[in-house]
C-alpha cells in the first residue's frame, strides 16, 4: 500500500513541478519538488527499496529535464545517503534536523547543477551564472521542503488510516 501512495504522490509532485509551476511567472525561484519525496522517504522509511525508488524517480526527472543524465539521480542518492547516515546520529523527527537536511539537500542540488554547468561549458559559464537565482531557490527550498515533508506526512497518515478503515469494513462485510 505504501508503494501506491508514493507512486501517486510522486506523480502529483511531478505534475506540479513540470506543468503548474512553470506557468507562474511570479515564481522564478522554483526548486526541485522531488526533494520533498526524497527527504520523506529517507527520513521515515527504513526499507531497502528506497534507493531503487529514488533511482527510478531520478531517471524520470533526468529524462524530463534535459539536464545531463544522472544529475537528478546523483543528487537524490547523495541526499538519501547523507540523511541515512545522519539519521542514526540525530533525532530524526526534530524540526531543526529537517530544516538542516532541507538546507543541505538544496545546497547539494545547486552545487551539482553548478558543477555540471562548469563541466559542460567551462569556467566562463560559471562567471555568467545567476547566483541570485541559485540563492533564491535555496531559500525557497528551505521554506518549502520542511512544509512539504510535513504535508506529505499528514497525507501518508490519512492514506494509511483510510486503507485500514477500508480493510476493517471489508472484513466485517464478508465475515458475517
Amino acid at each position: 500500500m505504501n508503494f501506491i501512495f508514493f507512486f501517486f504522490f510522486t506523480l502529483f509532485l511531478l505534475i506540479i513541478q513540470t506543468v503548474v509551476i512553470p506557468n507562474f511567472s511570479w515564481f522564478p525561484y522554483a526548486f526541485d519538488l522531488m526533494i520533498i519525496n526524497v527527504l520523506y522517504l529517507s527520513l521515515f522509511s527504513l526499507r531497502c527499496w528506497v534507493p531503487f525508488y529514488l533511482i527510478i524517480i531520478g531517471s524520470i526527472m533526468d529524462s524530463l529535464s534535459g539536464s545531463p543524465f544522472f544529475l537528478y539521480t546523483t543528487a537524490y542518492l547523495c541526499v538519501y545517503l547523507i540523511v541515512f547516515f545522519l539519521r542514526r546520529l540525530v533525532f530524526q523527527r526534530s524540526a531543526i534536523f529537517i530544516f538542516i537536511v532541507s538546507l543541505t539537500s538544496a545546497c547539494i542540488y545547486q552545487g551539482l547543477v553548478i558543477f555540471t554547468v562548469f563541466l559542460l561549458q567551462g569556467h566562463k559559464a560559471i562567471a555568467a551564472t545567476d547566483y541570485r537565482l541559485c540563492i533564491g531557490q535555496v531559500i525557497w527550498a528551505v521554506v518549502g521542503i520542511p512544509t512539504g515533508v510535513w504535508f506529505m506526512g499528514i497525507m501518508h497518515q490519512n492514506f494509511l488510516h483510510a486503507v485500514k478503515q477500508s480493510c476493517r469494513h471489508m472484513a466485517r462485510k464478508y465475515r458475517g
Side-chain angles (χ1 to χ4, degrees):
M1 284 295 145
N2 281 334
F3 178 76
I4 293 170
F5 172 78
F6 291 121
F7 174 78
F8 282 112
F9 202 82
T10 301
L11 188 62
F12 170 74
L13 289 175
L14 186 67
I15 291 170
I16 295 292
Q17 182 170 338
T18 58
V19 177
V20 176
I21 288 180
N23 291 329
F24 291 114
S25 61
W26 50 269
F27 196 62
Y29 301 115
F31 61 93
D32 183 17
L33 294 179
M34 287 300 147
I35 293 178
I36 294 169
N37 206 358
V38 171
L39 281 179
Y40 186 81
L41 288 169
S42 301
L43 287 170
F44 303 112
S45 182
L46 301 174
R47 307 234 162 58
C48 61
W49 57 266
V50 172
F52 300 114
Y53 189 67
L54 295 179
I55 290 171
I56 292 169
I57 294 172
S59 298
I60 291 169
M61 291 303 295
D62 286 332
S63 298
L64 289 175
S65 70
S67 65
F69 208 70
F70 291 117
L71 172 70
Y72 286 93
T73 306
T74 303
Y76 297 160
L77 289 175
C78 286
V79 169
Y80 171 74
L81 289 173
I82 288 170
V83 172
F84 180 78
F85 291 119
L86 286 179
R87 185 175 61 186
R88 302 195 186 288
L89 300 173
V90 182
F91 183 58
Q92 68 184 9
R93 301 202 189 263
S94 167
I96 295 171
F97 178 69
I98 293 174
F99 174 77
I100 291 171
V101 168
S102 300
L103 177 64
T104 305
S105 62
C107 290
I108 287 171
Y109 177 74
Q110 290 300 322
L112 283 172
V113 168
I114 291 172
F115 180 69
T116 56
V117 167
F118 173 72
L119 286 179
L120 294 175
Q121 298 178 357
H123 61 56
K124 292 179 184 175
I126 296 297
T129 302
D130 185 10
Y131 292 105
R132 191 175 52 152
L133 177 69
C134 295
I135 291 169
Q137 287 178 342
V138 168
I139 291 170
W140 272 107
V142 167
V143 171
I145 291 173
T147 306
V149 168
W150 171 75
F151 178 72
M152 189 171 178
I154 290 173
M155 295 300 293
H156 190 222
Q157 292 301 321
N158 288 340
F159 175 78
L160 292 177
H161 180 69
V163 167
K164 186 190 289 186
Q165 292 292 4
S166 172
C167 289
R168 285 183 188 161
H169 177 70
M170 295 298 282
R172 275 188 250 132
K173 181 178 179 180
Y174 289 111
R175 238 188 248 156

